[in-house]
Every structure is written in structure tokens, then in C-alpha cells.
Amino acid sequence: MAASEGSQVCSLPLPPAQYINNYTDENIKRGRAPRPPPPIHDTYSMFGNTFNADDTIIRPLESQGIKRLYPQHFDRRRELRKLNHSLLVNFLDLLDLLVKCPESPRRAEKVEDLSLLFIHIHHLLNEFRPHQARETLRVMMDLQKRQRIEIAQRFQKHLDKVFEMLQQALQTLPDTSDFDSKLMVPTESFENMGKSNHDTTETDPYVILDEMMCNIKSKSNATHLYLKKVTKALKGRYSCEVSADAPSFRTALYSGDMNVVVIPTTLPEVLMSKTKYRIGETLKAECTSKDSRPAANLTWGLNGQTLDSEYVKKFNIIRDPDTNLETSVSQLSLIVQRHHFSSNGRLKVRCTASIHNVYWRTTERSAEEDRPKVLDAAQQTLHQYLQEVVGQCSGGLPSER
């Protein structure tokens, strides 16, 4: 009896830590690691029940000696709802029996009915297990696919870095003119080859990217990037990536946009309709900034103060189809008031053209107040005398008639 009790083992598997300890490198090398169980061909026992290896994973209810409560072809969702409702009704009936007549023989019948309902619900839920396993496998494969794609992208980025380092190393090579002329190889054939392929390289985007990479100065390092011969093709988003070594391969990526600007070659032009204005007249001026990429932003100012947009009218940007450069035009319309003029009777109109933070140019124009002329004392006396003479002459005309 004691021997039989000593040979009993737990039906559950060993804990993971203890299971791993049996498969150490030393145990495997010495052959002490437990061998895997042999495959089952006939029958096996699990939790005290005997099963056949050829049986289906989910056995029918009839093969288990259980009465089927629903038909062969049915809607599982509706049957689960009906079983749940029946389970609740039978449970309430059981509570009613326990309250009114605890010793009634119907109590055992209700318990059996509840057990049968639970078995059917459990069986219906088990029929969804293959679908759950298939979906779980699909999710796992999608996750593995994403991980492999991320690893491939990281390898590609490291490969690009290697190409960049090789390009920098090629740029740092000494000039071939420093070597002996006898060791130099004729390059006429290579030059002719380059001329023959000139047309194809103009449209090849990879060649353009190679030329862009060649414009990187040799003093660029892991934290700073220096460019020379900047062209419009270099605009775009630049990224800096920091990646850790194995085994994590964690990466951090930060990006920033760079725009290559073509600044205007001339100052903004300001044209005014007049140079003298009276109080109440409309001041009209037009500002033009030519040949830039992108078009310059035009703002107006009066006597050092920026004007609101209600006085400004912006026109559509004019683009030159040949040079692809843009021209911006803006018009100012303002009713002149007394406070617009300074003490010396002048006002200053300013137009500023700006492109991001790389270009800022201003043009100013001045205008004077058109005031009525003030006569001096002698002119006033002569004016009064002439008025009196004219009055006397006009008064004497009727008496002569």
C-alpha cells in the first residue's frame, strides 16, 4: 500500500521553471534530460476518462450518451440564447421548489435538467474552438509577419548607412593626379560611356539620388549633416534615426522638413497712383515681388505700423512656365485721414516681401499732404483790396444804366 502511494504522480505538468531546469546544457550533454513522451496510437487516459486517439476533437453528444436538445442543423446564436433562457427558468423553478417543498423528488429532476443544459451550452461553445484556434493562428502569423517586415526594414536602413559610409570613404580618397602617370589608366572610354548614358541618367531617379549623396561634405558626422551645391531636388523630409545594438534593436526616428528657396533678385516694387493726397482721398498702391520659389509673402505698413488685411487685396500668384518661378502681387487701398500724416505733412508706405526665415526685403515710398496755400499778410491785403474794388464796380453798374 505504501509502495503504491509512493508511485503516484501528479496528473498536471511540471511548473515551467522546474521543467526548464531538467533541460540544462549539462543534463542534455550527459543524457540526463527527460525524453519526450512517445506518440499515442490507441487509447489514453485523461482526468480519469479513457479516450481513443482516432476520436474527433469534439465528439457528438450521442456518442457520450447525452440526449440532444436541439436539432442537427441550427443557428448557434439562437440556440445559445434559448439555452440561457431555459437555464434561468429552471433555476427559478429549483429555487421555488427549495422554498415551498425542499424534500420534493422534483428537486433532483431540476438539478439534472440544469446539468444537461450546462452540458449543451458547454458543447456549443466548444464547437467554436476550431474557429478560435484558426483566428488565433491568423493573428499570430500577422504579428510574425509585421515583426519580420520591421526587421527587414531595419536591415535595409543599416544597409543604406553602409552605402553612405562607403560613399564618404570614396570621397576621402586622394586625387589620382598625385600618383605616377604611368600607373594611371586611360579614362577616355569611360568618359564616352558617361556621355552616351547622359540622356538616360537625366530621367533616372536613382542617379539623381546618387548625385545628391555625393554633395554631402566629408565633415558630416553622426549628429550633423552638411550639404553643398544645394538644389531644388534636395528639398523634402530629412530623418535622423538612432538604433540600439542587439538584441533589442530599438530605434528612435525624428524627422524635419527642409525647403529649398529661390529668393528674388530684385527688391519688391511699389507703385503709387499719386504723390500728394488730400484728407478723404483714397490712397492706392501696388507691390510686386518677382521671380521666387515659393512666392514671397507681401505685407503692408504705414508710418512704421503694420496694416490690417482689410485694406489689402491679394492677387493670384503668377507662375512663369519656363523658369517655374512665381510672382506675387498685392494692392493697398486706404482712405487718408488726418492722423496718417506726420507733423511735416508726409506719410510713408512700406511693402515687405518675406520667404520663411531666409529672405526679408522692404521698399518704402513717401507721399505728401495736398494742403491749400496760405497767403502772407501782403497778399491778404491785396486780396481784400481787390475784393473791395470788385464790389464797388459791381455796385455802380446799375446807376450808370
Side-chain angles (χ1 to χ4, degrees), residues 52 126 180 194 206 209 250 327:
N52 192 351
N126 282 337
D180 190 2
Y206 297 101
L209 293 177
R250 294 184 178 272
T327 299

Side-chain angles (χ1 to χ4, degrees), residues 25-39:
D25 295 339
E26 184 178 357
N27 289 344
I28 294 175
K29 185 176 180 180
R30 296 184 179 183
R32 297 179 181 178
R35 298 182 62 82

Side-chain angles (χ1 to χ4, degrees), residues 173-192:
L173 290 176
D175 191 4
T176 56
S177 60
D178 297 336
F179 295 97
D180 190 2
S181 59
K182 295 181 180 180
L183 300 178
M184 297 180 64
V185 179
T187 59
E188 289 78 4
S189 58
F190 295 98
E191 292 177 356
N192 295 330

Side-chain angles (χ1 to χ4, degrees), residues 271-373:
L271 299 178
M272 299 180 63
S273 58
K274 298 193 302 182
T275 58
K276 293 185 178 181
Y277 292 91
R278 291 185 181 181
I279 305 300
E281 289 185 337
T282 301
L283 185 150
K284 290 187 177 181
E286 185 176 279
C287 182
T288 304
S289 180
K290 298 180 179 180
D291 298 337
S292 65
R293 183 71 177 179
N297 183 30
L298 301 178
T299 56
W300 288 92
L302 182 64
N303 297 328
Q305 300 294 329
T306 303
L307 292 175
D308 297 333
S309 59
E310 58 180 318
Y311 306 111
V312 180
K313 179 181 179 181
K314 294 184 178 181
F315 297 92
N316 295 331
I317 296 174
I318 303 172
R319 179 171 296 175
D320 190 344
D322 297 330
T323 62
N324 203 24
L325 298 179
E326 298 176 344
T327 299
S328 53
V329 182
S330 177
Q331 188 181 72
L332 174 66
S333 181
L334 175 68
I335 298 177
V336 179
Q337 303 294 335
R338 173 68 65 183
H339 63 274
H340 290 154
F341 292 99
S342 60
S343 58
N344 58 357
R346 299 180 67 87
L347 59 82
K348 291 184 179 181
V349 177
R350 181 192 68 218
C351 178
T352 302
S354 60
I355 302 177
H356 301 302
N357 59 347
V358 298
Y359 177 77
W360 187 279
R361 295 293 184 272
T362 300
T363 300
E364 286 188 351
R365 292 290 183 268
S366 299
E368 298 179 355
E369 181 182 1
D370 191 3
R371 298 177 180 178
K373 295 182 179 180

Side-chain angles (χ1 to χ4, degrees), residues 19-88:
Y19 186 80
I20 293 173
N21 292 333
N22 292 330
Y23 289 90
T24 60
D25 295 339
E26 184 178 357
N27 289 344
I28 294 175
K29 185 176 180 180
R30 296 184 179 183
R32 297 179 181 178
R35 298 182 62 82
I40 300 174
H41 298 285
D42 297 328
T43 60
Y44 62 94
S45 177
M46 184 173 62
F47 298 110
N49 297 323
T50 302
F51 297 93
N52 192 351
D54 297 331
D55 292 340
T56 58
I57 299 177
I58 302 176
R59 296 187 300 168
L61 294 174
E62 291 80 4
S63 64
Q64 304 178 40
I66 300 173
K67 179 183 177 181
R68 181 184 292 270
L69 298 180
Y70 46 82
Q72 292 289 341
H73 304 285
F74 56 92
D75 185 5
R76 289 177 172 81
R77 182 182 299 177
R78 184 176 63 181
E79 292 298 330
L80 281 173
R81 189 181 297 110
K82 290 167 59 178
L83 289 173
N84 190 21
H85 182 71
S86 300
L87 184 67
L88 180 60

Side-chain angles (χ1 to χ4, degrees), residues 245-256:
D245 294 333
S248 64
F249 290 105
R250 294 184 178 272
T251 59
L253 183 66
Y254 294 93
S255 302

Side-chain angles (χ1 to χ4, degrees), residues 212 230-238 257-260 293:
M212 292 166 54
V230 177
T231 61
K232 289 186 289 185
L234 289 176
K235 71 176 182 179
R237 171 159 293 190
Y238 287 75
D257 295 328
M258 187 185 76
N259 190 15
V260 179
R293 183 71 177 179

